Amino acid sequence: MIKIESINKSFGSKKVLHDFSANFESGKVNLIIGKSGSGKTMAIKCMLGLHEVDSGHIYFSNRDFINISAFKRQQIRKEIGMVFQGSALFDSMTIEENVMFPLLMSQTLSNSEMKKRVSFCLNRVALKNVNNLYPSELSGGMQKRVAIARAISLNPKYLFCDEPNSGLDPTTASVIDSLLQEITYEYNITTVINTHDMNSALQIGDNIIFLNEGNFMWSGTKETLLNSKNNSLNKFIFSSEVFKKLKNKS
Amino acid sequence: MNFFTATGRYIIFLGKIFSRLEKRHVYFPKIMHEIKEIGMSSVGFVAFISIFVGAVVTLQVAYNMVNPLLPKYLIGLASRDSIILEFSPTMISLVLAGKIGSHIASSLGTMRVTEQIDALEVMGVNSASYLVLPKIIAAILFNPILIILSIVLGIVGGWLAGNMTGICPTQEFLLGLQYEFIPFNIAYAMIKTVIFAFIITTICAFYGYNTEGGALEVGQASTKGVVYTSILIIIFNYLITHLLLN
């Protein structure tokens, strides 16, 4: 479980996150939704320590992540998997080397065990015969799957995904969503996903948090999302004609 | 970023490179890769420049020796000293700043803007140390080899030019090469090379690592890295010469 308490983040006079608090439960797909520039990515980057918060607390299973040494933070990070928006695969490495990289750095397995684990992870994301290819030789959807395989290679307790569906066609996006949901339930991971894709929210959102201009506005589930009384959230959801029609029908 | 901010951030960056090191076995293949990437790939380029500039140095020395009383072996001596003291360590380092410096800055800049550096950090890897330290070690180990190669080929180029044009016969040139040779000059050239190798890798890595934005900023980081590296090489060239040869 990840707990965030009143985090604030500003760049100069611009407030990006304002007094943001939330709980992200384990074994559930936790979504942060909001329009572009609402602070979703910054929230995730603060949780990962890629940006320092101005104030507030972040706890990973009751372990403080803010006021700790670089070494202890490094230890917690080894329990985290992350799927970046652009996949962030290492260009100079093959797919096998990319997925093996976290294992190699953690030094917990022998060479043959690492190879087995890589095969398992690639199979888990339904990728075959790609071990010796380079990231540039794969499609966007396949790169996302490799990024997921790399993120789960160390059996993470926490999985973060920043816009996992961006740039993907609806079918591939749905496949990626289902995959993330399955992995979350299968390994009881605390998954936090940033998205502005409402299809994803309705498909996999066990716990949804809506951010608007850096402020927490609403939280709920996929079942309660369309019936919310929050004006900002409704404005965000029903800006799409498809959802407007869906609302009118119901 | 003003001068003081940049200097402060550069020092912090150096601290990050040399702290929380990964295990030794992680670095070894990376160092080998970097030796190939930034060292071996420069051999042909350095050889080509050295031969031709060595030849030009010899021709220019001969051109300036208008007094017929001056012995011809002085052409070999002057060429030797110019190449060992200045041309090879400083000029080749400036050329390398352009070649390997821009490569380092742009590759790290691209890794930054495509979030590959963030990915390393999230995996609990000290990205600065993992990415930059092998480049520093590779350059410090391999640049002296490149400079020795450059000295040798520069002298060969000078000998060829002197011999082919007939301005300095082989025997006279060889006499000049051996005359009053000070072995410390080689040590001086190597000290300069190692310091310049450190400057090239760390300054360019600093600008690449701290790139913010997109493709345009990667290009700007690469340019800045090469410009500031060149300026620092010129300044340090003066300081080292003042300290070691005065």
Side-chain angles (χ1 to χ4, degrees):
Chain A
M1 180 177 171
I2 304 167
K3 191 176 176 186
I4 292 177
E5 280 181 0
S6 306
I7 60 169
N8 287 285
K9 178 71 187 171
S10 304
F11 288 100
S13 59
K14 194 186 176 205
K15 282 209 160 191
V16 186
L17 287 173
H18 183 247
D19 212 21
F20 176 41
S21 298
N23 285 331
F24 300 102
E25 293 169 39
S26 54
K28 285 189 177 176
V29 179
N30 302 274
L31 296 187
I32 303 176
I33 60 169
K35 59 186 179 185
S36 299
S38 59
K40 305 185 300 288
T41 299
M42 189 49 62
I44 276 200
K45 289 197 169 177
C46 286
M47 280 190 255
L48 295 166
L50 294 173
H51 284 285
E52 294 300 328
V53 294
D54 298 334
S55 63
H57 293 280
I58 297 167
Y59 299 96
F60 282 80
S61 306
N62 296 323
R63 290 170 297 171
D64 191 352
F65 189 65
I66 301 295
N67 302 311
I68 53 169
S69 66
F71 176 75
K72 282 188 177 167
R73 185 174 278 193
Q74 204 173 2
Q75 297 310 306
I76 293 180
R77 274 178 171 166
K78 285 182 177 169
E79 299 172 6
I80 295 173
M82 170 81 191
V83 179
F84 285 88
Q85 191 170 0
S87 300
L89 299 176
F90 303 124
D91 305 323
S92 57
M93 296 182 191
T94 62
I95 300 307
E96 184 177 86
E97 287 166 344
N98 261 286
V99 180
M100 198 187 278
F101 186 80
L103 303 168
L104 202 67
M105 299 309 283
S106 75
Q107 301 173 354
T108 46
L109 301 176
S110 68
N111 215 23
S112 59
E113 286 171 325
M114 280 196 286
K115 288 216 165 191
K116 265 188 201 164
R117 180 71 191 156
V118 169
S119 297
F120 172 80
C121 292
L122 286 173
N123 278 334
R124 186 65 195 82
V125 297
L127 281 175
K128 279 176 188 151
N129 303 322
V130 295
N131 292 38
N132 297 319
L133 298 179
Y134 283 89
S136 58
E137 296 173 284
L138 301 184
S139 67
M142 287 167 97
Q143 287 186 12
K144 281 272 157 64
R145 281 193 269 168
V146 176
I148 294 170
R150 183 176 71 179
I152 61 167
S153 64
L154 270 179
N155 274 326
K157 286 184 183 168
Y158 318 98
L159 179 64
F160 289 84
C161 306
D162 187 13
E163 307 272 8
N165 294 335
S166 68
L168 300 180
D169 64 84
T171 315
T172 314
S174 178
V175 170
I176 297 286
D177 282 341
S178 306
L179 183 62
L180 289 169
Q181 190 181 39
E182 282 167 29
I183 287 166
T184 303
Y185 295 160
E186 201 174 320
Y187 305 112
N188 197 33
I189 300 171
T190 306
T191 300
V192 181
I193 300 174
N194 262 351
T195 187
H196 51 229
D197 181 350
M198 294 314 298
N199 292 319
S200 294
L202 290 172
Q203 189 182 339
I204 59 170
D206 297 326
N207 175 29
I208 303 170
I209 286 161
F210 174 59
L211 272 181
N212 188 31
E213 292 176 357
N215 294 295
F216 169 84
M217 300 301 287
W218 179 88
S219 78
T221 64
K222 60 189 173 196
E223 288 80 18
T224 58
L225 183 67
L226 295 178
N227 303 316
S228 151
K229 300 280 180 251
N230 187 290
N231 285 337
S232 308
L233 177 62
N234 286 336
K235 211 173 148 189
F236 170 68
I237 299 171
F238 301 115
S239 57
S240 153
E241 287 300 321
V242 176
F243 283 97
K244 253 184 214 168
K245 282 176 189 167
L246 194 72
K247 173 89 172 169
N248 292 337
K249 267 188 185 176
S250 64
Chain B
M1 212 180 343
N2 66 36
F3 174 75
F4 293 106
T5 313
T7 309
R9 286 180 67 180
Y10 173 69
I11 292 166
I12 292 169
F13 178 64
L14 289 183
K16 206 178 165 197
I17 293 170
F18 294 104
S19 62
R20 288 196 295 121
L21 301 182
E22 302 299 328
K23 293 279 176 343
R24 228 178 286 171
H25 76 91
V26 170
Y27 290 107
F28 188 71
K30 289 275 291 172
I31 292 168
M32 289 297 128
H33 174 76
E34 295 297 346
I35 284 178
K36 191 177 151 217
E37 192 87 350
I38 65 179
M40 297 294 282
S41 68
S42 306
V43 169
F45 185 52
V46 167
F48 180 79
I49 293 174
S50 301
I51 289 174
F52 278 91
V53 176
V56 170
V57 167
T58 302
L59 294 178
Q60 285 180 348
V61 170
Y63 173 73
N64 282 292
M65 282 180 52
V66 286
N67 190 336
L69 296 176
L70 288 172
K72 283 199 169 174
Y73 71 81
L74 284 183
I75 296 173
L77 184 146
S79 301
R80 177 200 74 195
D81 283 349
S82 309
I83 289 167
I84 293 176
L85 294 174
E86 198 57 24
F87 165 67
S88 286
T90 309
M91 294 305 133
I92 292 292
S93 290
L94 282 171
V95 169
L96 289 175
K99 186 182 176 289
I100 63 176
S102 61
H103 169 75
I104 290 171
S106 56
S107 60
L108 288 176
T110 305
M111 286 189 80
R112 170 63 78 192
V113 301
T114 55
E115 296 180 310
Q116 292 176 48
I117 291 178
D118 286 344
L120 283 170
E121 288 289 332
V122 173
M123 288 174 204
V125 176
N126 178 356
S127 60
S129 177
Y130 175 76
L131 294 171
V132 183
L133 189 58
K135 294 184 199 299
I136 297 173
I137 294 172
I140 284 176
L141 289 177
F142 204 80
N143 280 20
I145 296 171
L146 283 176
I147 299 306
I148 288 169
L149 177 78
S150 165
I151 290 172
V152 171
L153 292 178
I155 289 170
V156 169
W159 165 69
L160 282 173
N163 205 19
M164 286 193 298
T165 55
I167 56 173
C168 185
T170 303
Q171 240 175 348
E172 296 280 340
F173 194 84
L174 286 177
L175 178 64
L177 284 186
Q178 293 166 46
Y179 189 76
E180 296 264 327
F181 175 68
I182 304 165
F184 178 72
N185 286 356
I186 298 286
Y188 161 78
M190 290 303 109
I191 291 168
K192 282 212 296 192
T193 302
V194 167
I195 292 171
F196 294 161
F198 185 81
I199 291 171
I200 293 168
T201 44
T202 55
I203 296 288
C204 291
F206 170 70
Y207 280 101
Y209 189 86
N210 291 301
T211 304
E212 282 173 8
L216 183 68
E217 284 77 11
V218 172
Q220 285 170 347
S222 177
T223 307
K224 271 187 192 173
V226 173
V227 168
Y228 288 117
T229 300
S230 304
I231 291 170
L232 279 174
I233 285 176
I234 298 295
I235 293 170
F236 272 81
N237 186 36
Y238 171 75
L239 293 175
I240 298 163
T241 306
H242 186 73
L243 281 171
L244 297 180
L245 296 188
N246 247 7

